[in-house]
Amino acid sequence: MAGRYNVVQIANFTKDLKALSKKYPSIKNDVENLAEELAYDPFKGKSLGGRFL
């Protein structure tokens, strides 16, 4: 897959991520790494089927 995609966090996600980072200190880094991977391969991971892609 050529190119790079934009990964955008919505305000609610950012707010919830900040709250979760108090309990899980590494979550911000984990999400940053995931966003970087998804920017190059948005279809990475397993399909959950049904309504989920």
Side-chain angles (χ1 to χ4, degrees):
M1 213 171 265
R4 182 175 163 95
Y5 295 85
N6 290 325
V7 177
V8 180
Q9 296 178 5
I10 60 173
N12 289 348
F13 178 83
T14 304
K15 181 180 176 184
D16 292 345
L17 183 64
K18 184 176 180 180
L20 284 170
S21 70
K22 293 175 184 174
K23 186 172 182 179
Y24 305 102
S26 68
I27 197 168
K28 286 184 179 179
N29 189 44
D30 295 342
V31 170
E32 287 175 11
N33 290 339
L34 176 61
E36 186 67 27
E37 289 180 27
L38 290 174
Y40 288 102
D41 184 6
F43 300 103
K44 186 174 186 109
K46 284 187 166 183
S47 173
L48 298 175
R51 301 184 341 229
F52 306 102
L53 298 177

